[in-house]
Amino acid sequence: MAAPTTYSIDGEQYIAVMAGYGGAETYGYLSDGVIFKYKNMGRILAFKLGGSETPLPPEQVVIKTPEPPETKIKEELIAKGASVYVAYCETCHGGFGDKHFSQHPDLSKLVLAKHQVFNDIVLKGILSENGMANFSNSLSKDDVEAIHNFLLKKQTELYKKQEAKSVN
Ligand code: HEC
């Protein structure tokens, strides 16, 4: 992920590198990339000659897509929602379903309780203590409604796909 650095302690050389999710590769992982197997949480790895084995991060866990709420999706808002999502949310939350590699929540897998407070999360910052900022200074209620409709549509598509698979 980052430029390595080197240092020595009592004459022994170490090479340290920061590893984690993000950077230019975010949308270009090769299909056999290790990111598909392991959670790529931020960590620092320090190497030395004759060092011990490198600890691996935990394996990825697939969370099922919860059933979306029964809300009528406003199709006319989807295109706007998608573009606002890309501009304001995707950097952290990333893609959806099997295209989700970020360590931030997959927003196509929101449980009902989170859908109910969606506006308060985005425009009132009720999760800001955990790093989910309040976007009220840059997004309007209409923008957030468009993002929410876009996400509801994604969740509905992925949920249907998942259920169709489990029936077969
Ligand atoms: C700078 C990074 C960042 C950006 C940009 C960001 N988020 Fe988040 N978001 C987070 C983090 C971190 C959490 C987890 C908070 C927690 O664990 O309570 C989160 C959580 C959420 C949740 C709750 C998810 C859940 O299942 O608990 C929603 C909804 C959400 N974000 C919506 C958005 C929307 C919509 C946007 C774009 C307008 C956005 N976020 C942009 C970092 C970000």
Side-chain angles (χ1 to χ4, degrees), residues 39-90:
K39 285 188 178 182
N40 200 12
M41 50 225 351
R43 63 206 193 284
I44 292 175
L45 299 168
F47 301 96
K48 65 174 185 178
L49 288 178
S52 57
E53 219 168 280
T54 308
L56 290 172
E59 291 200 11
Q60 295 276 17
V61 183
V62 178
I63 305 168
K64 284 190 93 180
T65 306
E67 188 173 359
E70 279 184 35
T71 317
K72 177 136 181 41
I73 294 167
K74 296 182 182 165
E75 292 292 335
E76 67 280 12
L77 297 182
I78 303 302
K80 177 181 171 183
S83 74
V84 187
Y85 181 83
V86 170
Y88 286 90
C89 321
E90 194 181 43

Side-chain angles (χ1 to χ4, degrees), residues 111-143:
V111 294
L112 184 60
K114 292 285 166 59
H115 279 292
Q116 285 167 340
V117 292
F118 191 86
N119 281 8
D120 292 345
I121 293 174
V122 188
L123 291 173
K124 289 193 182 153
I126 60 171
L127 298 179
S128 61
E129 276 188 8
N130 303 335
M132 171 54 207
N134 176 342
F135 282 83
S136 61
N137 60 358
S138 34
L139 295 177
S140 69
K141 251 188 139 168
D142 289 350
D143 294 330

